[in-house]
Amino acid sequence: MVKVRGNQRSKSNHGYVCPRGHLSIGQMYDPDRIKVPMKRTNPKKGRGVDPKFVPISWDEALETVAEKMMELRRAGEPEKFMLMRGRYTYCRDVLYDAVPKIFGSPNNISHSALCAEAEKFGAYYTEGYWDYRDYDLENTKYVLLFGGDPLASNRQVPNAIHQWGKVMDQATIAVVDPRFSASASKAHEWLPVIPGQDGALAVAMAHVILTQGLWSREFVGDFQDGQNRFKAGQSVDEGLFDEKLTNGVVKWWNLELKDRTPEWAAGLCGIPAEQIVRVASGLAKAAPNCMVWMAPGAAMQPRGAYAAFAAHALNGLVGSVDSEGGTLQKMKAPYEHIPLYGDKFKPYIDEIAAKGGKHKKIDQRGTLEFPALASGKSGGGVVTNRAADGILNADPYDIKVAVGYWNNFTFSCTGAERWEKAMEKIPFFVHITTNPAEMTQYADIVLPAAFHKFERWGFVPSKFNRYSYISLQQPVVKPLWDVRIDETEISWLLAEKLKEKGFPNLYDYFHNEMVDLETGQKPTNSQEFALFTVKYMTQNMWDPAKNKDGDKFSGWSEFLAAGLWQSSQYPFKMNWGKWKTETKKFEFYSETLKKALTEHAEKNKATVDGVMEAAQYVARGEQAFIPHYEPPKIHGDEKEFPFVFIDNKNRLNREARSANLPNFHEFTKVGPGDVSHQDALKINPADARILGLKDGDTVKVISPVAEMTVTVALWEGVRPGTVNKSYGQGHWAYGKVAAADYHAAKPRGGNNNEILVADYDRLSGSTARHAVTRVKIVKA
């Protein structure tokens, strides 16, 4: 492998990859990769404890795993098996869904709530869309970016980099972020908001748009006599306004917006009132060819769901939803799931599995204080980080056997020490991984995974630039080591072992259902199973008899050569008048949220106000159903911990997996304010003078839960009263470059997740990474 580039046919990434893509070659050839299966010979577990791994065969490894799983079934407690998923391809159906369901456990726990679930909350409870949005940068005239940095980190980096110069020429860009991000450096307006106050800024902008009469008449409607009655501090008669494609704009005004003036917001969010007015009116005057790009920085906060709700509601006010130059949903990428329900699936679920699958999940989703209202369902989402507490407290029961793949929760979850203790407690843990990550140090069996980009079968659906697509992963090099594909090959090999031990259900399911749809052949080995699974799930793209939209192929071979299927282009206004909400309208007063909260309350024998109190929100009554301001909840007394800690993702950070590459450390400086070969704590020079700090000083960053030692970098791009450090360093495992001393478990730099307090946006289940923790700085 000598070069990586984007698929040259792609209408989404324009044939390019972002800077991270070029690091994947070094990752595949990383000499510290796990090369063969291993078993632990030291029963003691903990940070700094040598597992004393020894190499074993795949047969011995899988024999050991299967026996531990069968012990649970013999005891009638399969629910005590846990499957933890990190990143994935959409062959996830096999390992993440089929294995635990057929075995009999409800505990398939995904990483999703570590990512950006709160961001989805705003779109779902306004327009019925639980997913990330696409953005029409090609035609936009105004970009208002809340808490994101699409030039450096997001799901659309190649497209954003490709389009941004054009956007700067044709549009106004305003970035809301306490940190001067890469995107802020290419913007016309920077709004360095006080952390946690994004919601105040959003509702004040809504106030401006309404009082200035700048809302979209086409989308929202108007007063019957055409006279604007939205006056600061004054309620409005709902009967005087004729709404078109929205629900509850006047009710929203009366319950929340009438008092949310720019002057009120300025005192909270630190943005001058005149700038709030200028940006809000500029956005609305560019409508409908404008967008409010709402990202994790504004949403992944305690109570962040309502900031996401408020920010996305601005798109409804100006009619930029599903509009040219605005925010978009996606075209269907019609891949096929493997059978996981219904008549095809039932024969493989025995009595033990049926009983085990009815138990509660270990992450406590759907409980009174953790609604996790994904797609409107109580407990419909995951509360990933809460699983550590479930394990530690044996609530609702203890976990005895766990498997993790493509994950590293002991590093990537806030309050990381909790996960270290949780992993010490699990009696038997299997880690499927490429590198010896922090989580691997707690494993009893380690299984080496094929490298995800170049050594495996899989596929990934996504969208941007108005196209949905299916990107096909295929083995383009011969695997370097004795590795297997995590989601498919290992599942098959484990099923074979379970069959030998008297549990054939999983093997029979794979063998009977995952046939080659071209030949009708049933899989006879793990390699065939991996290939047949991808062909099965992507048939709607490559089979001309099934393909109803987008790229056309004559068969599998042509699709394989292309490596990519793309939809037709997203048509504007596709969802106008048929939103998947309770009212079929874009909801400012969300009947969809009202129904979800009411059902969650009834399930837990409580009231909606009781839910809001237990889930630690301030709103009561009808305010719970509208976008509104929630005061921030930041851990640490301000007098003792005077700085709010700001986390961001380094431009070269592939979810902390880049850190074992020398060129990651050499080029860390490409991140604004960052310094090569340092784990830099960026602090405003004004604050540094007060503390007597200068560039290059070594300091301790101390939070209410932990501390770390890093190097000071003075930088005017961070708001006074805050400090900022890029996520990605602080590994005490993963490899000889990532860690300062791998064998001694000595970290290189600091892991942000160790000092961040474990808290949540409970309505979505999302981990809170932003506006959650205060720190103090002392010289080391």
Side-chain angles (χ1 to χ4, degrees):
M1 186 76 65
V2 295
K3 182 177 174 62
V4 175
R5 67 174 183 173
N7 191 307
Q8 299 301 289
R9 298 177 58 254
S10 174
K11 300 170 185 175
S12 295
N13 66 29
H14 313 280
Y16 295 95
V17 293
C18 79
R20 291 176 182 84
H22 300 290
L23 297 177
S24 54
I25 299 174
Q27 289 179 314
M28 187 182 70
Y29 290 114
D30 185 344
D32 290 337
R33 279 183 61 179
I34 295 171
K35 301 170 178 66
V36 296
M38 301 187 297
K39 71 175 179 181
R40 184 184 206 92
T41 59
N42 182 0
K44 186 179 179 182
K45 296 183 179 182
R47 185 192 287 214
V49 175
D50 185 356
K52 297 184 179 179
F53 289 128
V54 297
I56 57 175
S57 67
W58 274 96
D59 187 72
E60 181 182 349
L62 291 161
E63 172 72 23
T64 305
V65 177
E67 180 56 31
K68 289 293 183 180
M69 292 176 67
M70 287 302 296
E71 287 175 8
L72 294 181
R73 285 188 63 86
R74 295 183 195 116
E77 49 185 23
E79 71 277 4
K80 296 184 178 182
F81 170 77
M82 179 183 185
L83 192 288
M84 293 177 281
R85 182 190 81 194
R87 282 300 184 192
Y88 54 89
T89 79
Y90 275 63
C91 292
R92 63 186 184 181
D93 281 10
V94 177
L95 181 54
Y96 179 67
D97 276 325
V99 170
K101 283 178 180 175
I102 292 175
F103 183 75
S105 174
N107 288 312
N108 50 346
I109 305 297
S110 82
H111 85 295
S112 298
L114 305 181
C115 201
E117 292 299 273
E119 179 186 333
K120 301 175 184 176
F121 186 95
Y124 187 80
Y125 290 105
T126 50
E127 61 177 287
Y129 180 61
W130 190 272
D131 205 341
Y132 307 111
R133 276 76 52 219
D134 191 11
Y135 299 90
D136 183 26
L137 291 174
E138 176 73 25
N139 298 299
T140 197
K141 295 178 182 176
Y142 205 109
V143 177
L144 174 55
L145 180 59
F146 268 91
D149 191 7
L151 291 180
S153 67
N154 204 269
R155 290 159 188 82
Q156 305 191 32
V157 175
N159 183 51
I161 291 174
H162 181 81
Q163 299 270 27
W164 212 253
K166 181 177 186 292
V167 174
M168 290 175 68
D169 290 341
Q170 73 188 20
T172 300
I173 303 169
V175 174
V176 179
D177 200 317
R179 179 183 70 96
F180 193 64
S181 64
S183 299
S185 73
K186 305 294 183 184
H188 303 90
E189 298 260 10
W190 177 37
L191 294 82
V193 66
I194 292 175
Q197 299 290 358
D198 304 82
L201 183 60
V203 295
M205 287 184 174
H207 177 99
V208 170
I209 290 168
L210 290 176
T211 55
Q212 291 194 356
L214 296 175
W215 71 87
S216 169
R217 270 67 174 175
E218 178 190 16
F219 191 73
V220 180
D222 201 359
F223 288 99
Q224 293 163 357
D225 60 3
Q227 180 181 345
N228 184 10
R229 288 177 171 79
F230 293 123
K231 307 295 182 184
Q234 298 181 19
S235 297
V236 173
D237 183 348
E238 292 181 43
L240 300 177
F241 194 98
D242 289 337
E243 273 190 275
K244 290 186 177 179
L245 301 176
T246 64
N247 180 71
V249 67
V250 177
K251 193 182 291 285
W252 183 26
W253 169 265
N254 290 336
L255 288 170
E256 174 71 9
L257 297 183
K258 65 183 177 63
D259 300 316
R260 302 312 194 193
T261 65
E263 292 74 20
W264 164 84
L268 293 169
C269 68
I271 305 300
E274 57 269 24
Q275 189 177 25
I276 297 174
V277 172
R278 183 172 66 247
V279 171
S281 59
L283 172 79
K285 289 173 182 177
N289 311 120
C290 61
M291 64 179 67
V292 180
W293 188 320
M294 188 273 299
M300 292 184 71
Q301 308 172 5
R303 307 171 180 156
Y306 284 107
F309 199 4
H312 191 64
L314 293 174
N315 285 306
L317 273 187
V318 299
S320 63
V321 197
D322 255 23
S323 287
E324 183 176 349
T327 69
L328 310 173
Q329 293 190 11
K330 64 180 179 183
M331 295 296 287
K332 188 176 181 181
Y335 62 89
E336 188 67 65
H337 288 282
I338 65 176
L340 292 169
Y341 302 96
D343 293 340
K344 276 193 169 185
F345 195 64
K346 284 180 182 177
Y348 306 102
I349 303 295
D350 63 14
E351 185 177 346
I352 294 174
K355 183 179 179 181
K358 292 178 181 177
H359 282 76
K360 295 180 179 178
K361 288 178 180 279
I362 197 67
D363 66 343
Q364 301 169 9
R365 71 185 76 175
T367 58
L368 180 62
E369 66 172 314
F370 287 99
L373 299 175
S375 299
K377 179 183 177 183
S378 171
V382 63
V383 194
T384 312
N385 204 9
R386 187 67 178 180
D389 301 280
I391 295 166
L392 287 168
N393 300 326
D395 181 10
Y397 41 77
D398 56 332
I399 295 295
K400 293 184 176 179
V401 177
V403 176
Y405 86 95
W406 210 340
N407 71 327
N408 191 17
F409 292 168
T410 49
F411 184 87
S412 61
C413 288
T414 59
E417 185 182 5
R418 297 156 43 258
W419 275 98
E420 295 183 24
K421 298 303 180 186
M423 297 311 299
E424 289 176 25
K425 186 179 179 183
I426 296 175
F428 185 78
F429 173 56
V430 182
H431 203 207
I432 308 171
T433 183
T434 55
N435 280 61
E438 282 73 16
M439 208 156 182
T440 313
Q441 312 310 309
Y442 300 90
D444 298 277
I445 295 290
V446 183
L447 301 177
F451 187 66
H452 62 285
K453 288 184 75 171
F454 308 129
E455 297 178 338
R456 62 170 296 153
W457 288 108
F459 73 98
V460 178
S462 193
K463 79 278 181 183
F464 44 87
N465 197 35
R466 296 179 61 198
Y467 295 93
S468 293
Y469 63 87
I470 295 287
S471 178
L472 186 64
Q473 293 181 322
Q474 52 186 292
V476 292
V477 296
K478 183 179 179 181
L480 291 169
W481 314 112
D482 190 15
V483 300
R484 302 289 186 274
I485 301 172
D486 43 25
E487 292 166 324
T488 47
E489 283 194 278
I490 291 175
S491 297
W492 173 274
L493 294 169
L494 180 59
E496 287 183 324
K497 284 296 180 184
L498 291 170
K499 182 179 180 181
E500 291 175 11
K501 295 180 178 296
F503 179 62
N505 299 35
L506 193 60
Y507 175 86
D508 290 347
Y509 170 71
F510 292 158
H511 181 69
N512 294 335
E513 304 300 335
M514 290 299 99
V515 300
D516 185 332
L517 294 177
E518 280 190 308
T519 66
Q521 177 187 344
K522 293 183 177 182
T524 59
N525 57 52
S526 63
Q527 294 90 349
E528 289 180 349
F529 177 67
L531 173 60
F532 294 177
T533 298
V534 173
K535 293 177 72 173
Y536 183 103
M537 297 183 75
T538 61
Q539 184 190 16
N540 292 339
M541 286 86 209
W542 57 262
D543 186 342
K546 294 275 188 177
N547 190 336
K548 295 180 173 59
D549 175 65
D551 292 344
K552 307 296 183 187
F553 299 105
S554 60
W556 167 256
S557 295
E558 189 175 353
F559 176 48
L560 182 64
L564 177 72
W565 171 90
Q566 299 173 105
S567 71
S568 56
Q569 196 172 44
Y570 189 95
F572 299 122
K573 300 184 179 181
M574 182 170 73
N575 293 291
W576 280 34
K578 49 185 178 181
W579 307 105
K580 294 180 180 178
T581 59
E582 286 298 301
T583 62
K584 308 303 179 188
K585 295 184 176 184
F586 187 98
E587 295 182 343
F588 300 120
Y589 183 93
S590 182
E591 295 289 350
T592 307
L593 180 54
K594 184 176 183 178
K595 178 182 178 184
L597 281 170
T598 300
E599 290 178 351
H600 177 73
E602 291 172 350
K603 169 184 168 182
N604 287 279
K605 297 179 173 57
T607 63
V608 170
D609 280 356
V611 172
M612 298 302 286
E613 181 179 5
Q616 302 180 19
Y617 297 86
V618 173
R620 298 293 184 269
E622 289 189 296
Q623 196 175 40
F625 314 135
I626 60 171
H628 69 268
Y629 170 67
E630 287 274 336
K633 178 193 168 195
I634 306 179
H635 294 263
D637 180 77
E638 187 173 357
K639 290 182 179 179
E640 182 180 359
F641 302 99
F643 298 97
V644 178
F645 186 85
I646 300 173
D647 170 88
N648 74 283
K649 304 302 178 280
N650 182 278
R651 197 164 192 164
L652 296 183
N653 175 48
R654 299 189 76 232
E655 296 171 324
R657 302 187 192 100
S658 312
N660 205 47
L661 300 178
N663 52 356
F664 168 80
H665 299 278
E666 173 68 24
F667 295 106
T668 298
K669 62 185 178 184
V670 301
D674 281 324
V675 182
S676 292
H677 301 291
Q678 284 187 13
D679 195 12
L681 181 77
K682 290 158 281 188
I683 184 169
N684 191 284
D687 290 328
R689 282 193 295 272
I690 296 171
L691 296 175
L693 297 176
K694 61 182 185 300
D695 259 328
D697 281 351
T698 301
V699 295
K700 287 185 177 180
V701 183
I702 304 169
S703 82
V705 294
E707 65 179 56
M708 62 183 175
T709 301
V710 291
T711 305
V712 166
L714 303 188
W715 186 45
E716 292 181 347
V718 61
R719 183 186 178 92
T722 69
V723 292
N724 165 231
K725 191 175 83 66
S726 299
Y727 170 73
Q729 297 200 43
H731 280 286
W732 52 270
Y734 209 81
K736 298 182 185 67
V737 176
D741 187 335
Y742 172 79
H743 296 290
K746 182 180 178 181
R748 177 171 180 167
N751 178 10
N752 293 2
N753 287 320
E754 291 183 15
I755 66 168
L756 290 174
V757 176
D759 205 347
Y760 313 83
D761 171 69
R762 287 164 165 78
L763 284 184
S764 65
S766 178
T767 287
R769 297 192 174 280
H770 306 285
V772 67
T773 304
R774 291 186 169 276
V775 297
K776 59 184 174 183
I777 313 298
V778 298
K779 283 189 176 181

